[in-house]
Amino acid sequence: MSGKHLIENPTKADGAALWRIARDSKKLDLNTPYAYLLWCHDFADTSVVAKVDGTPVGFVIGYRKQDTGFVWQVAVDASQRGKGLAGALLDELFSQLTAQGVRYLETTITPDNEASIRLFASFAKRWNTTLERRDLFTAKDFPAEDGTHEQEDLYRIGPLSSQ
């Protein structure tokens, strides 16, 4: 896959591929394939998918709550990493969300996920706004049977305006 990235809103036909990309990331909490199908169907207007030659290679799924877009997951296929695709996906998503009145982006990130922390810090810098971090969920909040789920910190970026 070496073609140009096309970034668009997902359709339910993209759901299975998004699940596979999330599974293969080995970093994200993997939801059921059904959840990704629903996400592509019910939250397509607050999510984006990148495709090369018609094949999904990355995505951002999220939802809107008042003036805030919440980014649930960001994933890029291993073959496309290091090309700035995750940042391009976030930029496209935010550009679409401004039409819905969104002025802030939020996400949660585990403290060891340095790539995601850099991604959102870079996004805030590109959009010339602030990034704030605060505690949200402790490891004890999660029902992980082996107690291995890390805490999730809330990152809030904004206020944002279209460039």
Side-chain angles (χ1 to χ4, degrees):
M1 281 186 247
S2 60
K4 182 173 169 46
H5 294 117
L6 169 68
I7 299 176
E8 60 188 12
N9 297 101
T11 68
K12 68 178 182 176
D14 298 320
L18 272 55
W19 178 83
R20 283 191 290 279
I21 293 168
R23 177 199 64 198
D24 294 348
S25 77
K26 307 236 188 294
K27 190 67 181 161
L28 297 175
D29 286 340
L30 186 61
N31 299 293
T32 66
Y34 179 73
Y36 290 93
L37 288 169
L38 280 176
W39 209 277
C40 290
H41 183 263
D42 291 347
F43 295 98
D45 64 336
T46 56
S47 302
V48 289
V49 61
K51 296 180 181 179
V52 172
D53 301 328
T55 301
V57 295
F59 67 86
V60 176
I61 54 177
Y63 60 90
R64 186 176 67 82
K65 53 182 189 171
Q66 291 94 20
D67 66 347
T68 302
F70 186 86
V71 175
W72 183 277
Q73 288 186 325
V74 177
V76 174
D77 184 79
S79 70
Q80 302 298 310
R81 292 186 191 140
K83 299 179 181 182
L85 183 55
L89 283 161
L90 278 178
D91 289 342
E92 176 60 28
L93 177 63
F94 178 70
S95 293
Q96 290 183 20
L97 292 177
T98 57
Q100 299 176 32
V102 167
R103 296 189 60 230
Y104 296 89
L105 281 185
E106 289 183 344
T107 194
T108 62
I109 305 173
T110 58
D112 73 336
N113 192 338
E114 294 175 15
S116 287
I117 293 168
R118 283 192 310 271
L119 171 66
F120 284 91
S122 175
F123 176 84
K125 185 175 182 179
R126 271 194 316 282
W127 288 85
N128 194 31
T129 193
T130 60
L131 180 145
E132 298 174 358
R133 188 214 65 83
R134 70 175 175 88
D135 294 344
L136 184 61
F137 300 122
T138 69
K140 292 179 183 177
D141 291 327
F142 291 94
E145 294 172 9
D146 59 3
T148 59
H149 199 294
E150 290 186 78
Q151 74 184 42
E152 292 271 351
D153 298 330
L154 179 69
Y155 286 78
R156 183 169 172 87
I157 302 167
L160 293 152
S161 60
S162 58
Q163 294 181 336

